[in-house]
Amino acid sequence: MKAQDARSLGLARWSVAVGLGVFGIKWLAWELTGSVAIYSDALESIVNIVAAVGALVALAVAVRPADATHPFGHTKAEYFSAVAEGALILFAAFEMLRAAWARFLNPQPFTEPALGLGLVALAGAITAGWAFLLLAQGRRVRSPALVADAQHLLTDVASTVGVLFGAGLAWRLGWWWLDPLVAAGVALNILVVGLRLVRRSVGGLMDEALPPDQVERIQRTIAANLDGALEYHDLRTRASGPRAFVEFHLVVPAAMTVEEAHAITDRLERALAEALPGAETVIHVEPESEAKHGGFRA
């Protein structure tokens, strides 16, 4: 197993442990206060735990090397984890809205508000610290599963801050109707995040092209290393987990030898690997008779 893959798996295991600890703190805070807003925050932490477990399983599958039945590897398994996390977020959002509506119809004061809100603040601080660490490391190892987990945790932090403010205001002013209103706000916030997460993950499963900035970087790199060739065309890109795939047709002079053409493709592959770490490039070499009008010429 590569060191990068081992690190990803280690981070995923820690995410499960952190999620369990934060959920326990928030659940205790809900038990102490009876706040439906804190209940919503705790419910979101359950989603964090399940999502972390899903990311761990997906990463364990994704690190498997390519084989006869999966010649391109198993990296797309990470997208299934992200889709599942998005679906869980949507489910949690609707459950939060249900609980908020029930409490809005029957507002109730908090019990032990000071201790409960203090515990929520502690849980939020732990989540924020872990989310920023996970996001940085997830981007470093180019793991969609870890990045998705970190982004959801950051949403959880934002929700926790909103809960602390709203529930604290309800406690100090006695506006108990504010408690379910905050819970509904938390639900709507993560509903939007869940929809975005599902959209992004489905794009990966559907072999969506790389982001425009990465495609532009690829185009600049090819153009800068095209010496000896005539043009390139039919550039196609896609992502699969942390790996990027680049494919294009390279037109060379008809009199060029196979060895000379091979040297050009080697140069291009090395340059693209430096410009886009983790990229795998496939180049189709063609004679000048296959040149296309509108192709990118040297």
Coordinates of all heavy atoms in Angstrom, one line a residue, residues 153-222:
L153 N -18.2 18.5 7.7 CA -17.9 18.9 9.1 C -17.8 20.4 9.3 O -18.3 20.9 10.3 CB -16.5 18.3 9.5 CG -16.5 16.7 9.7 CD1 -15.0 16.3 10.0 CD2 -17.4 16.3 10.8
L154 N -17.4 21.1 8.3 CA -17.4 22.5 8.3 C -18.8 23.1 8.3 O -19.1 24.1 9.0 CB -16.6 23.1 7.2 CG -15.0 23.0 7.2 CD1 -14.4 23.4 6.0 CD2 -14.5 23.7 8.5
T155 N -19.7 22.4 7.6 CA -21.1 22.8 7.7 C -21.6 22.5 9.0 O -22.4 23.3 9.6 CB -21.9 22.0 6.6 OG1 -21.3 22.2 5.3 CG2 -23.3 22.4 6.6
D156 N -21.2 21.5 9.6 CA -21.6 21.1 11.0 C -21.2 22.2 12.0 O -21.9 22.6 12.9 CB -21.1 19.8 11.4 CG -21.6 19.3 12.7 OD1 -22.7 19.7 13.1 OD2 -20.9 18.5 13.4
V157 N -20.0 22.7 11.8 CA -19.5 23.8 12.7 C -20.3 25.0 12.5 O -20.7 25.7 13.5 CB -18.0 24.1 12.3 CG1 -17.5 25.3 13.1 CG2 -17.1 22.9 12.6
A158 N -20.6 25.4 11.3 CA -21.5 26.6 11.0 C -22.8 26.4 11.7 O -23.4 27.3 12.3 CB -21.6 26.8 9.5
S159 N -23.4 25.2 11.6 CA -24.7 24.9 12.2 C -24.6 25.0 13.8 O -25.5 25.6 14.4 CB -25.1 23.5 11.9 OG -25.3 23.3 10.5
T160 N -23.5 24.5 14.3 CA -23.3 24.6 15.8 C -23.2 26.0 16.2 O -23.7 26.4 17.3 CB -22.0 23.8 16.2 OG1 -22.1 22.5 15.8 CG2 -21.7 23.9 17.7
V161 N -22.5 26.9 15.5 CA -22.4 28.3 15.8 C -23.8 28.9 15.8 O -24.2 29.7 16.7 CB -21.5 29.0 14.9 CG1 -21.5 30.6 15.1 CG2 -20.0 28.6 15.1
G162 N -24.6 28.6 14.8 CA -25.9 29.1 14.7 C -26.8 28.6 15.9 O -27.6 29.4 16.4
V163 N -26.6 27.4 16.2 CA -27.4 26.8 17.4 C -27.0 27.5 18.7 O -27.9 27.8 19.5 CB -27.1 25.3 17.5 CG1 -27.6 24.7 18.8 CG2 -27.8 24.5 16.3
L164 N -25.7 27.7 18.9 CA -25.3 28.4 20.1 C -25.9 29.8 20.2 O -26.3 30.2 21.3 CB -23.7 28.5 20.1 CG -23.0 27.2 20.5 CD1 -21.5 27.4 20.2 CD2 -23.2 26.8 22.0
F165 N -25.8 30.5 19.1 CA -26.4 31.9 19.1 C -27.9 31.9 19.3 O -28.4 32.6 20.2 CB -26.0 32.6 17.8 CG -26.6 34.0 17.7 CD1 -26.0 35.0 18.4 CD2 -27.7 34.2 16.9 CE1 -26.5 36.3 18.3 CE2 -28.3 35.5 16.8 CZ -27.7 36.5 17.5
G166 N -28.6 31.0 18.5 CA -30.1 31.0 18.6 C -30.6 30.5 19.9 O -31.5 31.1 20.6
A167 N -30.0 29.4 20.4 CA -30.5 28.8 21.6 C -30.1 29.7 22.8 O -30.9 29.8 23.8 CB -29.9 27.4 21.8
G168 N -28.9 30.3 22.7 CA -28.5 31.2 23.8 C -29.4 32.4 23.9 O -29.8 32.8 25.0
L169 N -29.8 32.9 22.7 CA -30.8 34.1 22.7 C -32.1 33.7 23.3 O -32.8 34.4 24.0 CB -30.9 34.6 21.3 CG -31.5 36.0 21.1 CD1 -30.6 37.0 21.8 CD2 -31.6 36.3 19.6
A170 N -32.6 32.5 22.9 CA -33.9 32.0 23.4 C -33.8 31.8 24.9 O -34.8 32.2 25.6 CB -34.2 30.6 22.7
W171 N -32.7 31.4 25.4 CA -32.6 31.2 26.9 C -32.6 32.5 27.6 O -33.3 32.7 28.6 CB -31.3 30.4 27.1 CG -30.9 30.4 28.6 CD1 -31.7 30.2 29.7 CD2 -29.6 30.5 29.1 NE1 -30.9 30.2 30.8 CE2 -29.6 30.4 30.5 CE3 -28.3 30.7 28.4 CZ2 -28.5 30.5 31.3 CZ3 -27.2 30.7 29.2 CH2 -27.3 30.6 30.6
R172 N -31.8 33.5 27.1 CA -31.6 34.8 27.8 C -32.9 35.6 27.7 O -33.2 36.3 28.7 CB -30.5 35.5 27.2 CG -29.1 34.8 27.3 CD -28.7 34.5 28.7 NE -28.5 35.7 29.5 CZ -28.2 35.7 30.8 NH1 -28.1 34.5 31.4 NH2 -28.1 36.8 31.5
L173 N -33.6 35.5 26.6 CA -34.8 36.4 26.4 C -36.1 35.7 26.7 O -37.2 36.3 26.7 CB -34.8 36.9 25.0 CG -33.6 37.8 24.6 CD1 -33.7 38.3 23.2 CD2 -33.5 39.0 25.5
G174 N -36.0 34.3 26.8 CA -37.3 33.6 27.1 C -38.1 33.4 25.8 O -39.3 33.1 25.9
W175 N -37.5 33.6 24.7 CA -38.2 33.4 23.4 C -38.1 31.9 23.0 O -37.3 31.6 22.1 CB -37.6 34.3 22.3 CG -37.8 35.8 22.6 CD1 -38.5 36.4 23.6 CD2 -37.2 36.9 21.8 NE1 -38.5 37.7 23.5 CE2 -37.6 38.1 22.4 CE3 -36.3 36.9 20.8 CZ2 -37.2 39.3 22.0 CZ3 -35.9 38.2 20.3 CH2 -36.4 39.4 20.9
W176 N -38.8 31.1 23.6 CA -38.7 29.6 23.3 C -39.1 29.2 21.9 O -38.6 28.2 21.5 CB -39.5 28.9 24.4 CG -39.1 29.2 25.8 CD1 -39.8 29.8 26.7 CD2 -37.8 29.1 26.4 NE1 -39.1 30.0 27.9 CE2 -37.8 29.6 27.7 CE3 -36.5 28.6 25.9 CZ2 -36.7 29.7 28.5 CZ3 -35.4 28.7 26.8 CH2 -35.5 29.2 28.0
W177 N -39.8 30.0 21.3 CA -40.2 29.7 19.9 C -39.0 29.8 18.9 O -39.0 29.3 17.8 CB -41.3 30.7 19.4 CG -40.9 32.1 19.6 CD1 -41.3 32.9 20.7 CD2 -40.2 33.0 18.8 NE1 -40.8 34.2 20.6 CE2 -40.1 34.3 19.4 CE3 -39.5 32.8 17.5 CZ2 -39.4 35.3 18.8 CZ3 -38.8 33.9 17.0 CH2 -38.8 35.1 17.6
L178 N -37.9 30.5 19.4 CA -36.7 30.7 18.6 C -35.9 29.4 18.5 O -35.2 29.2 17.5 CB -35.8 31.8 19.3 CG -34.6 32.3 18.5 CD1 -35.1 32.9 17.1 CD2 -33.9 33.4 19.3
D179 N -36.1 28.5 19.5 CA -35.4 27.2 19.5 C -35.8 26.4 18.2 O -34.9 26.0 17.5 CB -35.7 26.5 20.8 CG -35.0 25.1 20.8 OD1 -33.8 25.0 20.4 OD2 -35.6 24.1 21.3
P180 N -37.0 26.1 17.9 CA -37.4 25.4 16.7 C -37.1 26.2 15.4 O -36.8 25.6 14.4 CB -38.9 25.1 16.9 CG -39.4 26.2 17.8 CD -38.2 26.4 18.8
L181 N -37.1 27.5 15.5 CA -36.7 28.3 14.4 C -35.3 28.1 14.0 O -34.9 27.9 12.8 CB -37.0 29.8 14.6 CG -37.1 30.7 13.4 CD1 -38.2 30.3 12.5 CD2 -37.2 32.1 13.9
V182 N -34.4 28.0 15.0 CA -33.0 27.8 14.7 C -32.8 26.4 14.2 O -32.0 26.1 13.2 CB -32.2 27.9 16.0 CG1 -30.7 27.4 15.8 CG2 -32.2 29.4 16.4
A183 N -33.5 25.4 14.7 CA -33.5 24.0 14.2 C -33.8 23.9 12.8 O -33.2 23.2 12.0 CB -34.4 23.1 15.1
A184 N -34.9 24.7 12.4 CA -35.3 24.7 11.0 C -34.2 25.3 10.1 O -34.0 24.9 9.0 CB -36.6 25.5 10.8
G185 N -33.5 26.4 10.6 CA -32.5 27.0 9.8 C -31.3 26.0 9.6 O -30.7 26.0 8.5
V186 N -31.0 25.2 10.6 CA -29.9 24.2 10.5 C -30.3 23.2 9.4 O -29.5 22.8 8.6 CB -29.7 23.5 11.9 CG1 -28.7 22.3 11.7 CG2 -29.1 24.5 12.9
A187 N -31.6 22.8 9.5 CA -32.0 21.8 8.5 C -31.9 22.3 7.1 O -31.5 21.6 6.2 CB -33.5 21.4 8.8
L188 N -32.4 23.5 6.8 CA -32.3 24.1 5.5 C -30.9 24.3 5.0 O -30.6 24.1 3.8 CB -33.1 25.5 5.5 CG -34.6 25.4 5.7 CD1 -35.2 26.8 5.8 CD2 -35.3 24.6 4.6
N189 N -30.0 24.7 5.9 CA -28.6 24.8 5.6 C -28.0 23.5 5.1 O -27.3 23.5 4.0 CB -27.8 25.4 6.8 CG -26.4 25.6 6.4 OD1 -26.0 26.2 5.4 ND2 -25.5 25.2 7.3
I190 N -28.2 22.5 5.8 CA -27.5 21.2 5.4 C -28.3 20.6 4.2 O -27.7 19.8 3.5 CB -27.4 20.2 6.6 CG1 -28.8 19.6 7.0 CG2 -26.7 20.8 7.8 CD1 -28.6 18.4 7.8
L191 N -29.5 21.0 4.0 CA -30.3 20.5 2.9 C -29.6 21.0 1.6 O -29.4 20.2 0.6 CB -31.7 21.0 2.9 CG -32.6 20.5 1.8 CD1 -32.8 19.0 1.8 CD2 -34.0 21.2 1.9
V192 N -29.2 22.2 1.6 CA -28.5 22.8 0.4 C -27.1 22.1 0.2 O -26.8 21.8 -0.9 CB -28.3 24.3 0.6 CG1 -27.4 24.9 -0.5 CG2 -29.6 25.1 0.6
V193 N -26.4 21.9 1.3 CA -25.1 21.2 1.2 C -25.3 19.8 0.7 O -24.5 19.4 -0.1 CB -24.4 21.2 2.6 CG1 -23.2 20.3 2.6 CG2 -24.1 22.6 3.1
G194 N -26.3 19.1 1.2 CA -26.5 17.7 0.7 C -26.8 17.7 -0.8 O -26.2 16.8 -1.5
L195 N -27.6 18.6 -1.3 CA -27.9 18.6 -2.7 C -26.6 18.9 -3.5 O -26.4 18.3 -4.6 CB -28.9 19.7 -3.0 CG -30.3 19.4 -2.5 CD1 -31.3 20.6 -2.7 CD2 -30.9 18.2 -3.2
R196 N -25.8 19.8 -3.1 CA -24.5 20.2 -3.8 C -23.6 19.0 -3.8 O -22.9 18.7 -4.8 CB -23.9 21.4 -3.1 CG -24.6 22.7 -3.4 CD -23.9 23.8 -2.6 NE -24.5 25.1 -2.9 CZ -24.2 26.2 -2.2 NH1 -23.3 26.2 -1.2 NH2 -24.9 27.3 -2.5
L197 N -23.5 18.3 -2.7 CA -22.6 17.1 -2.5 C -23.0 16.0 -3.5 O -22.2 15.4 -4.2 CB -22.6 16.6 -1.1 CG -21.7 15.5 -0.8 CD1 -20.2 15.8 -1.1 CD2 -21.8 15.2 0.7
V198 N -24.3 15.7 -3.5 CA -24.8 14.7 -4.4 C -24.5 15.1 -5.9 O -24.1 14.3 -6.7 CB -26.3 14.5 -4.2 CG1 -26.9 13.6 -5.3 CG2 -26.6 13.8 -2.9
R199 N -24.8 16.3 -6.2 CA -24.5 16.8 -7.6 C -23.1 16.6 -8.0 O -22.7 16.1 -9.1 CB -24.9 18.3 -7.7 CG -24.3 19.1 -8.9 CD -24.9 18.6 -10.2 NE -24.2 19.3 -11.3 CZ -23.1 18.9 -11.9 NH1 -22.4 17.9 -11.4 NH2 -22.6 19.6 -12.9
R200 N -22.1 17.0 -7.1 CA -20.7 16.9 -7.4 C -20.3 15.5 -7.5 O -19.5 15.1 -8.4 CB -19.9 17.6 -6.3 CG -18.4 17.7 -6.6 CD -17.8 18.7 -5.7 NE -17.9 18.4 -4.3 CZ -18.7 19.2 -3.5 NH1 -19.3 20.2 -3.9 NH2 -18.8 18.8 -2.2
S201 N -20.8 14.6 -6.7 CA -20.4 13.2 -6.7 C -20.9 12.5 -7.9 O -20.3 11.6 -8.5 CB -20.8 12.5 -5.4 OG -20.3 13.2 -4.3
V202 N -22.2 12.8 -8.3 CA -22.8 12.2 -9.5 C -22.0 12.6 -10.7 O -21.8 11.8 -11.6 CB -24.3 12.6 -9.6 CG1 -24.8 12.2 -10.9 CG2 -25.1 11.9 -8.5
G203 N -21.5 13.8 -10.7 CA -20.7 14.3 -11.8 C -19.4 13.4 -12.0 O -19.0 13.1 -13.1
G204 N -18.8 13.0 -10.9 CA -17.7 12.2 -10.9 C -18.0 10.8 -11.4 O -17.3 10.2 -12.2
L205 N -19.1 10.3 -11.0 CA -19.6 8.9 -11.5 C -19.9 9.0 -13.0 O -19.8 7.9 -13.7 CB -20.8 8.5 -10.7 CG -20.5 8.1 -9.2 CD1 -21.8 7.8 -8.5 CD2 -19.6 6.9 -9.1
M206 N -20.3 10.1 -13.5 CA -20.7 10.2 -14.9 C -19.5 10.7 -15.8 O -19.7 11.1 -16.9 CB -21.8 11.3 -15.0 CG -23.1 10.8 -14.3 SD -23.9 9.4 -15.1 CE -24.4 10.1 -16.7
D207 N -18.3 10.6 -15.2 CA -17.1 11.0 -16.0 C -17.1 12.4 -16.5 O -16.8 12.7 -17.6 CB -16.9 10.0 -17.2 CG -16.4 8.6 -16.7 OD1 -15.8 8.6 -15.7 OD2 -16.6 7.7 -17.5
E208 N -17.6 13.3 -15.6 CA -17.6 14.7 -15.9 C -16.1 15.2 -16.2 O -15.2 14.7 -15.6 CB -18.2 15.5 -14.8 CG -18.6 16.9 -15.1 CD -19.4 17.5 -13.9 OE1 -18.8 17.8 -12.9 OE2 -20.6 17.6 -14.0
A209 N -16.0 16.1 -17.1 CA -14.6 16.7 -17.4 C -14.0 17.3 -16.1 O -14.7 17.7 -15.2 CB -14.7 17.7 -18.5
L210 N -12.7 17.4 -16.2 CA -12.0 18.1 -15.1 C -12.4 19.6 -15.0 O -12.9 20.1 -16.0 CB -10.5 18.0 -15.3 CG -9.8 16.6 -15.2 CD1 -8.4 16.7 -15.6 CD2 -10.0 16.0 -13.8
P211 N -12.2 20.2 -13.9 CA -12.6 21.7 -13.8 C -11.9 22.5 -14.8 O -10.8 22.2 -15.3 CB -12.1 22.0 -12.4 CG -12.1 20.8 -11.6 CD -11.7 19.7 -12.6
P212 N -12.5 23.6 -15.3 CA -11.9 24.5 -16.3 C -10.5 24.9 -16.1 O -9.7 24.9 -17.0 CB -12.9 25.7 -16.4 CG -14.2 25.1 -15.9 CD -13.8 24.1 -14.8
D213 N -10.1 25.2 -14.8 CA -8.8 25.7 -14.6 C -7.8 24.6 -14.8 O -6.6 24.8 -15.3 CB -8.7 26.2 -13.1 CG -8.9 25.1 -12.1 OD1 -9.9 24.4 -12.2 OD2 -8.2 25.0 -11.1
Q214 N -8.1 23.3 -14.5 CA -7.2 22.2 -14.7 C -7.1 21.9 -16.2 O -6.0 21.6 -16.7 CB -7.7 21.0 -14.0 CG -7.6 21.1 -12.5 CD -7.9 19.8 -11.7 OE1 -7.9 18.7 -12.3 NE2 -8.2 19.9 -10.4
V215 N -8.2 22.0 -16.9 CA -8.2 21.8 -18.4 C -7.3 22.8 -19.1 O -6.5 22.5 -20.0 CB -9.6 21.8 -19.0 CG1 -9.6 21.8 -20.5 CG2 -10.5 20.7 -18.5
E216 N -7.4 24.1 -18.6 CA -6.6 25.1 -19.2 C -5.1 24.9 -18.9 O -4.2 25.1 -19.7 CB -7.0 26.5 -18.6 CG -6.3 27.7 -19.1 CD -6.7 29.0 -18.5 OE1 -7.7 29.0 -17.8 OE2 -6.0 30.0 -18.8
R217 N -4.8 24.4 -17.7 CA -3.4 24.0 -17.3 C -2.9 22.9 -18.2 O -1.7 22.9 -18.7 CB -3.3 23.6 -15.9 CG -1.9 23.5 -15.3 CD -1.9 22.9 -13.9 NE -3.0 23.4 -13.1 CZ -3.4 22.8 -12.0 NH1 -2.9 21.6 -11.6 NH2 -4.3 23.3 -11.3
I218 N -3.7 21.9 -18.5 CA -3.4 20.8 -19.4 C -3.1 21.4 -20.8 O -2.1 21.0 -21.5 CB -4.5 19.8 -19.5 CG1 -4.6 19.0 -18.1 CG2 -4.3 18.8 -20.6 CD1 -5.8 18.2 -18.0
Q219 N -3.9 22.3 -21.3 CA -3.8 22.8 -22.6 C -2.5 23.6 -22.7 O -1.7 23.5 -23.8 CB -5.0 23.7 -23.0 CG -6.2 22.9 -23.2 CD -7.5 23.8 -23.4 OE1 -7.5 25.0 -22.9 NE2 -8.4 23.4 -24.1
R220 N -2.1 24.4 -21.7 CA -0.9 25.2 -21.7 C 0.3 24.3 -21.7 O 1.3 24.5 -22.4 CB -0.9 26.1 -20.5 CG -1.8 27.3 -20.6 CD -1.4 28.4 -19.6 NE -1.2 27.9 -18.2 CZ -2.2 27.9 -17.3 NH1 -3.4 28.3 -17.6 NH2 -1.9 27.4 -16.1
T221 N 0.2 23.2 -20.9 CA 1.3 22.3 -20.8 C 1.6 21.6 -22.1 O 2.7 21.4 -22.6 CB 1.1 21.2 -19.7 OG1 0.9 21.9 -18.5 CG2 2.2 20.3 -19.6
I222 N 0.5 21.1 -22.8 CA 0.7 20.4 -24.1 C 1.3 21.4 -25.1 O 2.2 21.1 -25.8 CB -0.7 19.9 -24.6 CG1 -1.2 18.8 -23.6 CG2 -0.5 19.3 -26.0 CD1 -2.6 18.4 -24.0

